[in-house]
Amino acid sequence: MTSDDDATLGSGAGEPKSDGDEDLRDALVALANLSTGHLGLEELLTKVATYAVRAIPGADGAGLTLLEHGRSATIVSTAPFVTEIDDIQYGLGQGPCISAAAEGQTKLSGSLGADQRWPQFGSKVARLGVHSVVSLPLITPGAVVGAMNVYAHAKHVFDNRAVELGELFAAPAAIAVENAQVLVQAQRLAAQLQAALGTRGVVDRAIGIMMSRTGATPDEALNKLRSLSQTEHVKLPVMAQRIVDAAVRRARALHKEEE
């Protein structure tokens, strides 16, 4: 377990609930039952963050950041105050979630306003009445796929036991997040390929129409199509679609005349 503890952690509020292990088990069961194929990415990430609040005693809210190519790509939260805090964090470019993701280590603070690791961030969020945080990197065998902030309003709410519970939750959470990310990327690629196939199809149809009209070769028809797209200041597929649509309209008009 890795953590950056405060110089002093309060007792009282930081003591884990007696049913902490049971809460963790419930959260892990809920996490295991998540279906990446039936939820949108943001909805799934929000559920993961919600289960983290359930798993860590004393938590008032949580936020989760998904990383793509080392940058934050999707940020979700379980409560409006978490969104406000994470907006401050990413606006400043400093904070426990950023540090946890960059270093691959859990960050713990019970008095953010006095924490010198993130002085600008800490002072701003303390004025909003949020003082405690556990930030957990979401680590898979391949990379850090994201990070999760678990917040509490009071000071010194989280102790080393909260860190331990959080890290036990973060390990399978990272796998769930990675699976969701892989699925979304696959869906995105499939959509791009489908769009590319559709684009190629309409260009080929336009070339065929131009060849039948003028007797041009495929290369000559393609060059003419490119010239038209440049003259009209539109993309090649758009110009091709115009030619196809015009040919369809002419064919329908002829058909009506023959009736």
Side-chain angles (χ1 to χ4, degrees), residues 70-116:
R71 296 183 178 182
S72 57
T74 306
I75 304 172
V76 300
S77 66
T78 65
F81 85 89
V82 176
T83 301
E84 185 176 7
I85 291 171
D86 282 344
D87 285 347
I88 292 171
Q89 179 168 201
Y90 286 99
L92 292 171
Q94 69 166 237
C97 191
I98 293 173
S99 296
E103 300 172 23
Q105 293 184 334
T106 300
K107 303 297 176 182
L108 171 67
S109 182
S111 182
L112 284 167
D115 201 317
Q116 292 305 305

Side-chain angles (χ1 to χ4, degrees), residues 88 92 116 121 127 146 178-180 182-183 186 216 221 231 237:
I88 292 171
L92 292 171
Q116 292 305 305
F121 170 77
R127 287 196 292 271
E178 183 180 48
N179 288 342
V182 169
L183 178 61
T231 301

